[in-house]
Amino acid sequence: QVQLVESGGGLVQAGGSLRLSCAASGRTFSRYAMGWFRQAPGKEREFVGAIHWSGGSTYYGYSVKGRFTISRDNGKSTVYLQMNSLKPEDTAVYYCAADAQWPPVEYKYWGQGTQVTVSS
């Protein structure tokens, strides 16, 4: 079992930056690939990006590529999502998730989400 807790969400103006954190506990964090997803009201959940358990490989969804960066600190059992050049359409609840496979196939563990609101 892996428990995930996101933090760092909030209200930011368009063009600003925000860094989300996802702290893990339970099984060995460094054995899991981590992903970020988001869901806006009335929309389907959208893939944001993922990072290999080593931190050596990442990939991103088209809408955030070049603006968002995922990193991890296995010593702190934490994965981060650095969001720059934020747009109002980035407003959503952001979730982190863990998968024991790479590339991730089925994220088995999910956090409760953190709200990000970008004002225009």
Side-chain angles (χ1 to χ4, degrees):
Q1 192 80 350
V2 176
Q3 292 79 40
L4 303 173
V5 179
E6 302 95 336
S7 62
L11 175 64
V12 63
Q13 288 189 332
S17 297
L18 209 57
R19 188 177 81 157
L20 305 183
S21 299
C22 171
S25 61
R27 293 189 176 180
T28 306
F29 176 73
S30 60
R31 295 180 181 174
Y32 287 88
M34 297 299 296
W36 283 98
F37 293 79
R38 67 186 183 184
Q39 188 164 22
K43 295 188 177 181
E44 293 189 354
R45 186 171 62 198
E46 178 186 9
F47 172 76
V48 173
I51 186 167
H52 188 267
W53 44 75
S54 70
S57 181
T58 56
Y59 63 98
Y60 300 91
Y62 177 80
S63 62
V64 305
K65 198 170 185 179
R67 299 187 299 124
F68 290 12
T69 302
I70 298 174
S71 61
R72 65 190 295 161
D73 184 337
N74 286 342
K76 295 181 178 180
S77 297
T78 301
V79 62
Y80 304 98
L81 179 65
Q82 178 67 44
M83 305 184 293
N84 298 329
S85 302
L86 283 162
K87 306 174 182 180
E89 51 263 43
D90 293 318
T91 295
V93 177
Y94 283 71
Y95 301 89
C96 64
D99 188 336
Q101 302 180 74
W102 184 265
V105 175
E106 182 179 1
Y107 289 91
K108 186 174 182 180
Y109 303 106
W110 292 81
Q112 83 291 346
T114 186
Q115 176 70 47
V116 172
T117 303
V118 184
S119 63
S120 57

